[in-house]
Amino acid sequence: MRFLPLFLSLLLSACATLNEQQCRTLSSAAIGEADGRAGYPTTRFDDNQQACGKYQLTLDRDAYLTGRARGLQDYCTPDNGTRVGLRGERYYGVCPKEREDAFLLKYWPAYVQFQRESYYGSYWAWPYRYWGYPPYWR
């Protein structure tokens, strides 16, 4: 019971997207560009706005979206699709239509590989290491 306040403070700090220094020093466009490079959806703006609101600071939505669009140019590349998939990161459907197909063409095989390696490395997959994957049992 005495660890409950510590747990709650850690939980709440994990939800914060920006700290006070970042809210004061970074422009809305820079925050948007970083979020775009990370592949966050537009709902991240609301989280950032709420985090900066604690310090009586606001973000410019238009500048944020402009910066986010620049960041998405770096995120929505085939090479990054492979990187994101191999890390097992979630794709939020943020790429523009003209770049999404090339991104997903590399993302999905890499993500499937991540899932397969995660599963076969788990404790519950030990029989498959010896006898193979179930379709080969037939």
Side-chain angles (χ1 to χ4, degrees):
M1 192 65 164
R2 65 182 190 191
F3 294 109
L4 185 61
L6 176 64
F7 175 73
L8 289 176
S9 66
L10 289 174
L11 183 66
L12 290 175
S13 67
C15 295
T17 58
L18 299 170
N19 60 32
E20 183 176 6
Q21 181 183 3
Q22 291 169 325
C23 288
R24 292 194 186 281
T25 58
L26 296 175
S27 68
S28 297
I31 294 169
E33 189 168 348
D35 286 352
R37 280 196 184 120
Y40 288 121
T42 54
T43 56
R44 181 78 169 193
F45 174 80
D46 298 329
D47 298 336
N48 292 334
Q49 182 74 355
Q50 184 178 7
C52 291
K54 288 188 254 182
Y55 313 111
Q56 289 75 41
L57 300 169
T58 60
L59 298 176
D60 179 16
R61 185 173 184 79
D62 292 334
Y64 175 86
L65 293 175
T66 302
R68 183 176 170 276
R70 279 195 311 265
L72 285 176
Q73 296 298 316
D74 293 336
Y75 179 81
C76 298
T77 62
D79 290 338
N80 193 49
T82 302
R83 183 189 65 78
V84 169
L86 287 175
R87 288 183 173 184
E89 296 176 10
R90 184 174 175 196
Y91 172 61
Y92 292 99
V94 296
C95 292
K97 292 297 178 197
E98 63 272 3
R99 302 186 110 199
E100 188 172 45
D101 290 341
F103 176 85
L104 290 176
L105 192 63
K106 296 291 186 167
Y107 171 78
W108 282 117
Y111 186 75
V112 167
Q113 180 181 345
F114 168 81
Q115 292 292 334
R116 188 176 302 130
E117 289 172 1
S118 296
Y119 179 74
Y120 284 119
S122 72
Y123 172 77
W124 298 107
W126 69 267
Y128 303 120
R129 290 188 198 128
Y130 299 105
W131 300 302
Y133 191 65
Y136 300 115
W137 289 358
R138 297 177 198 170

